[in-house]
Amino acid sequence: MRRVSGSPPGSHEKFLGLEEFVDERERLVGELERRVKSAEKLALSHSLDHKILCRISRRQPSALSLSEHEIVFEIETSTYLKSPVNVGDYLAAVNCANLQLVLLEIVSVQRADILSIVGREAPITVAPPDPSGLATPVLVAARPLTAFDYDERSGGFKEVPRPVVLPLEPQSPIFRPKPELVAKLLGLPDEGVVVGCLLTSSLLPLAEIPVKIPLKAFLQHVLIVGSTGSGKTTFIKNMVAALVAGKDYRVESGMKPTPVIFDATGEYVQLVLPPPKWERPDLDLEEEERIREGIYAGIEPPNEIVVLLPITKEELEKILNCIREAARGITGGELARKVAEKLAKDYVDEVLLKLLGENIERLEVEKVDTVEMEESTVRILETSLKIRISSREICVRVVPLALEFARAKRDLHELSPDFSTQARHFLPRIIRVLEEDIIGREFRSLEEFAASVDEKRNVLMNRYKIHRGTLDNISRCTWALVDTGIFDVSIPAGEVSISIGEPSDYGALLSSAKGIPVVVDLHRVSDAEYIIVHRLLRQIFRWKYDAYERREPTHQVIIIIDEAHRYFPSAGFGERDSLELLARQLTTIARLGRMRGLSLVFSTHLPDDVHRVILQLSNTKIAFRSEPQYLERVGIPPEYRERLANAPDRVAIIRSHIFRSHYAPVKTTPPLVGHYDLSAITLMRTSARGGSGGGS
Ligand SMILES: Nc1ncnc2c1ncn2[C@@H]1O[C@H](COP(=O)(O)OP(=O)(O)OP(=O)(O)O)[C@@H](O)[C@H]1O
Ligand SMILES: [Mg+2]
């Protein structure tokens, strides 16, 4: 006999009769039955294969405590053999108690022969094999991760991930959840740039679950690390292709972001090319194709690209000489246009056409922009080339780039890490006194300025009290800058000079490239790459800063710096405190840039090689295969370190506040766009040529 539940304790206790007890029991069982049925119905409607896989074990208690989070269930051998469950896989259950939908992660799978369960005989001999002994249920343990509450009104679930605070009732149905349900339960961002498919904690791909980085998260900057060949560049290229395709994020119309890539190796212009065949012996092609179809459907190489191409004085001279030889008598604007064409065509030939061989159907110059400047100078602005490859029309806009003393003099002291602290301090003043007081006019070139520093050395020392050592440093560093050949690229050609400079308006250039990748191809100017990266970074930042001050809306610009250690090293670099200066500048750009829609993505092989501020500034870190100690440096938790240290190519862990669990293992496919090893191809061609030469 039991007290009627709900009646107050004390003298008025009323006891149930047997019949009432049976009735109540029946009611309870009826209610339980209803809940089990509802749970089953819900499970079936959210199951990937419309099947219940198994139920929470009746044989073991199901307990949840603050320290223990494991539940156990058994799967029929036949079901298991048809479709095994793996450690790390996600399953889901509907709790019969409250109809909560619970996401489960498998933590262990146990197989036991019948002998280990019922074997009572003393182990005197080895038991002979008996396949029927294997017909035992598979014992699985799983960890409840998060849950959706049942919504009585809609008869579905409230799609807000909640912690699991009740044990799953024994007999609750377990099923394989639909991929989109897993994504929602895990709280993965539902919009953003697709960067790969989700992996289980055992690093098995879930080909239909995209991992997206919201555009907003890029504003808190990203660091990518991974040893050589682990897949950083492939990852970036695939990410840029997804960014340009823009189908997984929302953005105000006409405000698609521009990815700007600083490219030390000349690989990124290949973005517009078709991808290479995926044919490495270690590839599971079926799996890679499933990922491509699952998350990258419709993503193609971009049809347009802007290349900012640094041109040195020497190179312009070479081109000019070639043209003069080929077409004597051409002068003025016509000559400048020819130079512009040749410069663009030679470049496209080197970095694209050579890779494709016969596949090019057509190459033509669509447009050449030049402008007449003062003092009979013609400036080359941009050349658009149209290329047709396998019936795709691609536009490559080549924008030649050089620096001008007149425009860069304000920042000159920041363009070389070798200026001493004193030199950096005095340089703007020295330029001013030389131009205004001593020479009386503005310098036309960096070379003129360098020569003037040497020539007026005594005046600067005696009248302006500039220290000898400071002048020595300024002279040495300025001449080194001159030697890069990237300043004041202007060459007389008959009645005009042909010149190359900086874009007159970076904002206008980048605004003309919304949703179009901009590549700063540095592979031919290794002496000047540092200067160019810092100058451009600063100029883009300035445009953003000024527009913000004027309250003009600008579109998001995502600056990607592959091989970032070349430009933001951690040590062994320049004058004593130039690293600190660099760090301060970068911090300003990163902090203020955030509000103004400027994002930075750094990629490097070792986190220790880039300046430590980069680690601090990047809220999202993406780690590919690396030594465990480097993974620790970027905050990858111990349980992932060992696995990631031995992970295959293109597998990474993303550590970011954008994920509820702070981590997401991802994998991207082999390149979705052109990705060819320029040096290997050049080598191949050279050796092929060498071979035939030897035979003739
Ligand atoms: N066409 C292809 N098919 C299949 N796999 C490819 C293809 N091209 C490259 N890969 C694979 O992608 C891997 C990653 O190459 P990727 O250039 O992205 O590496 P990385 O991390 O940028 O290296 P590095 O530090 O040398 O620049 C390579 O090791 C290679 O195995
Ligand atoms: Mg690379």
Side-chain angles (χ1 to χ4, degrees):
M1 291 275 183
R2 279 183 45 218
R3 200 153 41 84
V4 176
S5 65
S7 59
S11 57
H12 305 297
E13 281 187 347
K14 191 180 155 203
F15 291 92
L16 287 177
L18 182 61
E19 246 174 63
E20 285 167 295
F21 175 72
V22 171
D23 280 355
E24 200 211 351
R25 182 89 195 155
E26 267 175 12
R27 263 198 307 279
L28 176 64
V29 173
E31 173 60 23
L32 289 171
E33 227 174 80
R34 260 193 306 283
R35 290 193 186 206
V36 169
K37 277 207 181 111
S38 302
E40 243 179 78
K41 221 168 109 192
L42 284 166
L44 280 173
S45 67
H46 289 83
S47 155
L48 182 63
D49 48 7
H50 306 288
K51 283 189 191 128
I52 305 292
L53 178 69
C54 61
R55 291 177 173 75
I56 304 279
S57 179
R58 295 181 64 189
R59 293 207 178 92
Q60 321 231 9
S62 168
L64 187 70
S65 73
L66 287 177
S67 54
E68 289 283 324
H69 305 276
E70 259 181 44
I71 52 147
V72 180
F73 46 88
E74 294 133 2
I75 300 179
E76 290 293 352
T77 325
S78 55
T79 314
Y80 173 77
L81 288 180
K82 260 186 249 149
S83 145
V85 287
N86 306 299
V87 170
D89 278 0
Y90 293 112
L91 293 176
V94 178
N95 191 346
C96 294
N98 56 2
L99 298 186
Q100 226 186 16
L101 174 71
V102 179
L103 183 69
L104 305 171
E105 184 184 38
I106 297 180
V107 292
S108 76
V109 180
Q110 186 187 309
R111 289 291 291 130
D113 191 281
I114 192 95
L115 269 194
S116 72
I117 302 168
V118 296
R120 298 271 183 272
E121 31 185 301
I124 302 167
T125 56
V126 174
D130 174 7
S132 71
L134 294 172
T136 54
V138 182
L139 197 64
V140 180
R143 197 158 50 111
L145 297 178
T146 91
F148 284 164
D149 284 343
Y150 179 64
D151 181 13
E152 237 168 80
R153 267 191 305 164
S154 70
F157 297 106
K158 294 180 196 157
E159 293 185 347
V160 183
R162 315 233 313 129
V164 183
V165 288
L166 280 185
L168 278 143
E169 289 292 287
Q171 303 187 41
S172 293
I174 295 179
F175 58 98
R176 293 184 194 274
K178 291 180 181 162
E180 56 274 19
L181 190 62
V182 177
K184 282 184 189 160
L185 277 159
L186 286 173
L188 293 180
D190 60 357
E191 67 156 332
V193 181
V194 175
V195 293
C197 76
L198 186 70
L199 302 176
T200 67
S201 338
S202 320
L203 305 186
L204 292 177
L206 300 164
E208 273 117 21
I209 304 185
V211 175
K212 301 172 188 174
I213 300 187
L215 288 179
K216 261 199 182 142
F218 280 97
L219 292 173
Q220 290 174 310
H221 315 302
V222 177
L223 169 64
I224 301 170
V225 300
S227 56
T228 300
S230 57
K232 302 176 297 294
T233 302
T234 305
F235 179 89
I236 296 174
K237 284 188 177 180
N238 288 355
M239 181 178 87
V240 170
L243 180 84
V244 168
K247 64 185 185 56
D248 295 285
Y249 61 83
R250 284 183 293 274
V251 75
E252 256 178 72
S253 98
M255 291 297 258
K256 248 184 169 183
T258 300
V260 176
I261 306 143
F262 287 108
D263 176 16
T265 49
E267 294 174 282
Y268 280 90
V269 61
Q270 299 167 6
L271 275 164
V272 293
L273 294 185
K277 243 193 153 128
W278 297 355
E279 52 176 11
R280 310 243 158 169
D282 56 339
L283 277 190
D284 179 346
L285 268 183
E286 240 172 71
E287 181 183 288
E288 304 294 358
E289 285 294 349
R290 264 194 297 124
I291 301 173
R292 170 148 65 181
E293 280 160 27
I295 63 164
Y296 287 123
I299 293 183
E300 302 277 334
N303 287 328
E304 187 172 349
I305 196 163
V306 177
V307 180
L308 278 170
L309 184 66
I311 301 286
T312 59
K313 215 176 221 169
E314 197 184 352
E315 200 163 337
L316 182 62
E317 207 152 47
K318 222 161 55 193
I319 294 174
L320 198 58
N321 288 340
C322 277
I323 295 207
R324 275 197 191 124
E325 251 169 54
R328 282 172 204 284
I330 306 180
T331 52
E334 180 61 17
L335 184 63
R337 265 190 299 282
K338 287 258 182 259
V339 170
E341 271 185 41
K342 180 160 172 60
L343 185 155
K345 274 181 161 172
D346 282 1
Y347 170 72
V348 165
D349 187 52
E350 179 208 332
V351 295
L352 297 181
L353 307 194
K354 274 203 179 116
L355 300 176
L356 288 180
E358 290 87 63
N359 291 336
I360 304 291
E361 287 155 27
R362 191 157 59 87
L363 163 73
E364 64 188 45
V365 176
E366 189 187 41
K367 201 161 111 229
V368 180
D369 278 344
T370 57
V371 67
E372 307 230 348
M373 320 267 292
E374 68 278 17
E375 297 181 15
S376 23
T377 299
V378 185
R379 165 77 49 95
I380 299 174
L381 299 180
E382 180 174 324
T383 306
S384 305
L385 297 179
K386 277 253 186 295
I387 307 169
R388 186 184 276 277
I389 306 165
S390 344
S391 67
R392 264 179 70 230
E393 189 122 284
I394 297 160
C395 176
V396 182
R397 291 166 51 191
V398 180
V399 179
L401 173 82
L403 303 187
E404 299 147 77
F405 175 75
R407 277 183 72 187
K409 63 184 174 191
R410 180 149 75 110
D411 300 331
L412 196 63
H413 55 293
E414 279 160 6
L415 294 183
S416 164
D418 297 321
F419 282 121
S420 65
T421 313
Q422 291 294 312
R424 254 186 257 127
H425 180 76
F426 283 108
L427 194 56
R429 188 163 155 232
I430 292 174
I431 295 174
R432 207 182 50 243
V433 297
L434 277 174
E435 287 192 335
E436 290 174 12
D437 303 348
I438 305 177
I439 309 283
R441 66 165 172 84
E442 295 195 342
F443 293 117
R444 275 187 292 264
S445 67
L446 182 68
E447 191 171 350
E448 233 185 60
F449 166 68
S452 178
V453 169
D454 292 349
E455 194 189 318
K456 305 292 177 196
R457 187 182 167 83
N458 288 337
V459 187
L460 288 168
M461 268 165 49
N462 301 333
R463 202 185 315 158
Y464 295 91
K465 306 289 175 234
I466 314 270
H467 196 271
R468 176 197 303 271
T470 306
L471 285 174
D472 284 346
N473 176 274
I474 289 178
S475 169
R476 190 166 43 78
C477 294
T478 311
W479 280 114
L481 289 176
V482 171
D483 286 346
T484 62
I486 202 68
F487 277 87
D488 311 299
V489 175
S490 175
I491 295 182
E495 71 261 38
V496 296
S497 287
I498 295 177
S499 86
I500 287 167
E502 276 186 83
S504 58
D505 180 349
Y506 281 90
L509 178 72
L510 293 176
S511 301
S512 77
K514 290 187 186 122
I516 296 169
V518 174
V519 171
V520 185
D521 189 338
L522 302 161
H523 87 281
R524 303 198 294 202
V525 284
S526 53
D527 287 347
E529 59 174 356
Y530 177 94
I531 307 168
I532 293 167
V533 170
H534 286 276
R535 172 74 184 163
L536 263 55
L537 203 53
R538 186 165 272 279
Q539 292 303 84
I540 295 171
F541 174 70
R542 248 181 213 147
W543 155 58
K544 281 277 183 184
Y545 192 94
D546 293 347
Y548 189 81
E549 296 295 293
R550 293 195 301 269
R551 297 182 198 286
E552 266 172 34
T554 52
H555 71 302
Q556 188 171 348
V557 170
I558 300 178
I559 295 183
I560 300 168
I561 308 174
D562 201 351
E563 315 263 336
H565 49 274
R566 296 165 91 117
Y567 318 110
F568 303 99
S570 57
F573 173 79
E575 275 287 318
R576 206 165 19 98
D577 56 355
S578 55
L579 266 183
E580 289 324 302
L581 178 80
L582 197 63
R584 273 208 304 281
Q585 288 164 356
L586 190 62
T587 307
T588 309
I589 293 178
R591 295 249 157 88
L592 299 183
R594 180 173 301 174
M595 302 278 300
R596 292 150 179 85
L598 188 65
S599 317
L600 300 170
V601 176
F602 304 94
S603 171
T604 186
H605 47 259
L606 299 178
D608 288 355
D609 283 1
V610 286
H611 197 280
R612 66 186 175 333
V613 294
I614 290 184
L615 271 86
Q616 293 154 10
L617 291 171
S618 314
N619 276 359
T620 294
K621 304 205 171 66
I622 304 176
F624 287 82
R625 184 177 61 240
S626 312
E627 301 279 324
Q629 73 265 30
Y630 300 128
L631 296 171
E632 188 179 356
R633 290 270 288 126
V634 289
I636 302 300
E639 67 268 25
Y640 278 125
R641 279 181 220 150
E642 207 53 50
R643 255 169 280 165
L644 199 52
N646 301 302
D649 294 347
R650 293 172 279 102
V651 161
I653 307 279
I654 305 184
R655 175 181 189 264
S656 177
H657 61 285
I658 59 174
F659 306 119
R660 267 170 59 87
S661 60
H662 299 282
Y663 304 100
V666 297
K667 174 177 177 161
T668 189
T669 54
L672 296 165
V673 296
H675 186 50
Y676 304 86
D677 187 347
L678 261 184
S679 54
I681 285 171
T682 316
L683 256 176
M684 237 163 57
R685 281 169 192 272
T686 321
S687 60
R689 234 178 279 141
S692 63
S696 61

